[in-house]
Amino acid sequence: EVQLVQSGGGMVQPGGSLRLSCAASGFTFAPFNKYWMTWVRRAPGKGLEWVASIKHDGTAQFYVASVKGRFTISRDNPKNSLYLEMNSLRADDTAVYYCAVMRAWPNSFDPWGQGTLVTVSS
Amino acid sequence: QSALTQPPSASGSPGQSVTISCTGTSSDVGGYNYVSWYQQLSGKAPKLLIYEVTKRPSGVPDRFSGSKSGNTASLTVSGLQADDEADYYCTSYAGSDKVVFGDGTKVTV
């Protein structure tokens, strides 16, 4: 059974930076390096929002318009890890961030990590 | 890219059925068969219920079913149970390398 364990997150001031990590394990059908990966967030009192996705080999990355140029999604396949580098953080980036495995692009997200809270506040 | 439109809430009694709509445009829901549905229990991570409009992952009960007509996709939950009480979200590919979620629907049993 695939498991995703997230780390990072916390409180940061507006304009600051933060890095989220997502460690994957339990791949049996195909290894980690065969799957696209994604970050999704849920702001307080709001719904889910797709943030970014990365191709299995890291050669393509897609972003929602509101984070383009500020966030960078990356992966380290030998370490079975996914990352989200967040710069120039704003108050409206405050959310619980989830990593998730994608069946393929642009298909569904399954499974998901446990989520990690990012709070941007002065 | 605007969120897909879902009703804010839906409800039903145990054993009844509830259907949640997800309305987009011909550029997202109507244009691709990449509609998925997720269940998010309070304080938990989302869980995939339906992918590619109608397909159920292994382990998801057949009480959950998906369909699509034109620019509107639907999730039907039959035989409602107390632990179906959750937020439900649709997603769709929206072209130009983007994915869009619905607003979310809170289901009360």
Side-chain angles (χ1 to χ4, degrees):
Chain A
E1 179 187 350
V2 173
Q3 289 195 328
L4 303 176
V5 177
Q6 298 181 225
S7 58
M11 182 173 286
V12 63
Q13 292 187 338
S17 299
L18 214 52
R19 188 196 203 204
L20 305 183
S21 299
C22 173
S25 63
F27 290 90
T28 54
F29 181 71
F32 175 74
N33 63 15
K34 297 298 185 187
Y35 292 95
W36 284 68
M37 296 293 293
T38 282
W39 289 97
V40 173
R41 66 186 178 184
R42 185 173 184 182
K46 297 198 172 182
L48 296 171
E49 180 184 37
W50 168 75
V51 174
S53 297
I54 186 168
K55 193 176 179 181
H56 53 82
D57 59 3
T59 58
Q61 304 88 30
F62 304 137
Y63 299 91
V64 68
S66 60
V67 309
K68 201 173 288 188
R70 300 188 300 120
F71 289 13
T72 301
I73 186 172
S74 64
R75 63 192 296 161
D76 185 336
N77 283 343
K79 293 184 177 179
N80 279 14
S81 292
L82 174 73
Y83 306 102
L84 186 67
E85 188 77 37
M86 303 182 292
N87 298 316
S88 302
L89 282 161
R90 311 186 303 220
D92 63 358
D93 293 318
T94 295
V96 175
Y97 285 74
Y98 299 95
C99 61
V101 177
M102 292 187 73
R103 290 173 171 264
W105 178 263
N107 215 313
S108 50
F109 313 130
D110 176 48
W112 297 58
Q114 83 276 18
T116 187
L117 178 62
V118 172
T119 303
V120 184
S121 174
S122 54
Chain B
Q1 182 67 42
S2 300
L4 305 175
T5 301
Q6 297 181 230
S9 63
S11 63
S13 300
Q16 289 186 330
S17 296
V18 65
T19 296
I20 303 166
S21 61
C22 170
T23 301
T25 69
S26 58
S27 297
D28 39 61
V29 173
Y32 306 93
N33 285 324
Y34 288 118
V35 175
S36 306
W37 289 91
Y38 301 86
Q39 176 193 62
Q40 188 172 30
L41 299 170
S42 181
K44 301 290 188 182
K47 173 189 172 185
L48 176 66
L49 296 176
I50 298 289
Y51 67 100
E52 293 177 14
V53 181
T54 61
K55 298 178 181 178
R56 261 188 323 275
S58 162
V60 173
D62 60 7
R63 301 187 298 106
F64 295 92
S65 62
S67 63
K68 189 180 84 166
S69 177
N71 297 336
T72 298
S74 298
L75 173 73
T76 297
V77 185
S78 306
L80 271 172
Q81 300 177 359
D83 57 7
D84 294 333
E85 198 158 281
D87 293 328
Y88 292 81
Y89 294 90
C90 62
T91 70
S92 175
Y93 182 56
S96 301
D97 301 325
K98 290 179 179 55
V99 171
V100 61
F101 274 88
D103 307 308
T105 298
K106 184 174 184 63
V107 169
T108 303
V109 181

